[in-house]
């Protein structure tokens, strides 16, 4: 397709991505890990999928659900279900690492890659972090570079089926390279911020970043 045939939105998306590629934007310096390093230290494998949350599971139907994207972005969004479904869809397979020491391999997610969301909203140069807010009142923070990881996805399906309520449906975030508390269930809004500030668990003794391979479980102080 030539550029002239693309819609204005798609042209913008392509141009933004090309610019990021040229600038090496969001490169974290992470390298592919050897297979022997797949399970982070102190973790054990499970086959089931435990449910962990604050105990208040909100029941949000697809028609009630919207995703607000605001803060330091050129194009804020209020995405209802159908608008969200009309955005580019990606499939990603990744591992889960929970700070309570269980890990679960090979989870198949479908949804909107965070990279595609970033192309849509265009964070300003001042944006360095995001705060996620969920329908149960939960919050968690991420550096923009971590949110922008190429395997991070705003997922509506797991294993080809709609995400169950207990696991965060209709829509949750999945950021596989950090402990799973960063992967907000029942996602409601994403705010782009200049300064990384603590969410719920980060205010309650857990690490600001949460890299499982560095065992960033608890805050230093
Ligand atoms: N909205 C919301 N998201 C949340 C939580 C929560 O309490 N509320 N708990 C986090 C924690 S601590 C973990 S380990 C994972 C658990 O996800 P799961 O129940 O699908 O295994 O969700 C994370 N996301
Ligand atoms: Mo957790």
């Amino acid at each position: 397709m030539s550029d002239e045939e693309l819609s204005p939105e798609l042209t913008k998306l392509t141009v933004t991505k090309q610019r990021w590629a040229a600038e090496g934007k969001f490169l974290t310096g992470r390298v592919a890990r050897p297979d022997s390093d797949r399970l982070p230290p102190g973790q054990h494998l499970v086959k089931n999928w435990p449910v962990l949350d604050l105990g208040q599971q909100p029941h949000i139907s697809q028609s009630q659900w919207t995703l607000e994207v605001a803060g330091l972005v050129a194009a804020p969004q209020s995405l209802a279900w159908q608008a969200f479904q009309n955005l580019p869809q990606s499939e990603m397979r990744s591992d889960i690492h929970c700070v309570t020491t269980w890990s679960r391999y090979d989870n198949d997610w479908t949804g909107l890659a965070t990279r595609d969301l970033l192309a849509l909203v265009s964070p300003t140069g001042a944006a360095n972090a995001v705060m996620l807010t969920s329908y149960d009142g939960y919050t968690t923070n991420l550096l923009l570079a971590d949110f922008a990881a190429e395997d991070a996805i705003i997922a509506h399906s797991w294993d080809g089926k709609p995400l169950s309520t207990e696991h965060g449906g209709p829509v949750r975030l999945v950021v596989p390279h950090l402990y799973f508390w960063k992967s907000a269930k029942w996602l409601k809004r994403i705010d782009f911020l200049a300064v990384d500030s603590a969410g719920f668990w980060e205010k309650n003794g857990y690490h600001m970043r949460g890299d499982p391979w560095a065992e960033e479980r608890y805050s230093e102080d």
Side-chain angles (χ1 to χ4, degrees), residues 151-169:
D151 54 0
I153 185 168
I154 302 169
H156 56 72
S157 293
W158 176 84
D159 203 15
K161 294 179 285 292
L163 202 52
S164 65
T165 297
E166 61 179 7
H167 287 302

Side-chain angles (χ1 to χ4, degrees), residues 4 12 15 19 31 35 39 45 47 54 85 97 110 118 125 143 155 159 171 199 205 212:
E4 294 88 296
K12 191 167 140 250
V15 167
R19 181 164 51 81
V31 289
D35 278 356
L39 191 65
L45 270 183
K47 294 275 183 230
L54 300 175
Q85 295 296 322
H97 306 294
T110 314
L118 292 167
L143 290 173
D159 203 15
V171 171

Side-chain angles (χ1 to χ4, degrees), residues 1-23 88 115-122:
M1 235 193 298
S2 74
D3 265 10
E4 294 88 296
E5 291 172 84
L6 292 169
S7 68
E9 295 79 48
L10 271 178
T11 305
K12 191 167 140 250
L13 196 138
T14 314
V15 167
T16 309
K17 284 189 164 168
Q18 285 165 347
R19 181 164 51 81
W20 288 354
E23 292 169 357
R115 293 254 173 133
D116 289 326
L117 180 79
L118 292 167
L120 178 72
V121 303
S122 293

Side-chain angles (χ1 to χ4, degrees), residues 38-50:
R38 185 172 178 183
L39 191 65
Q43 296 293 112
H44 68 276
L45 270 183
V46 299
K47 294 275 183 230
N48 62 327
W49 185 5

Side-chain angles (χ1 to χ4, degrees), residues 26-31 33 38 40 93-98 109 114-115 141-153 173-183 209-216:
F26 305 132
L27 291 183
T28 59
R30 282 194 295 132
V31 289
R33 298 176 200 282
R38 185 172 178 183
R93 172 169 288 191
S94 59
D95 300 343
I96 295 171
H97 306 294
C98 175
W109 308 102
T114 59
R115 293 254 173 133
N141 57 290
L142 292 162
L143 290 173
L144 183 52
D146 285 323
F147 179 77
E150 61 185 350
D151 54 0
I153 185 168
L173 183 69
V174 178
V175 181
H177 73 285
L178 298 178
Y179 284 124
F180 209 33
W181 88 76
K182 296 289 186 179
S183 293
R209 178 148 187 261
D211 176 352
W213 287 269
E215 283 210 77
E216 291 174 343

Side-chain angles (χ1 to χ4, degrees), residues 49-58 96-100 102 109 133-140 163-168 172-173 179-188 200-201 206:
W49 185 5
V51 173
L52 280 100
D53 52 54
L54 300 175
Q56 304 291 327
Q57 298 184 347
I96 295 171
H97 306 294
C98 175
V99 73
T100 62
W102 59 269
W109 308 102
T133 304
S134 298
Y135 280 93
D136 61 342
Y138 185 79
T139 54
T140 190
L163 202 52
S164 65
T165 297
E166 61 179 7
H167 287 302
R172 77 176 299 159
L173 183 69
Y179 284 124
F180 209 33
W181 88 76
K182 296 289 186 179
S183 293
K185 307 202 277 192
W186 313 297
L187 189 58
K188 183 181 188 191
F200 178 80
W201 284 119
Y206 285 79

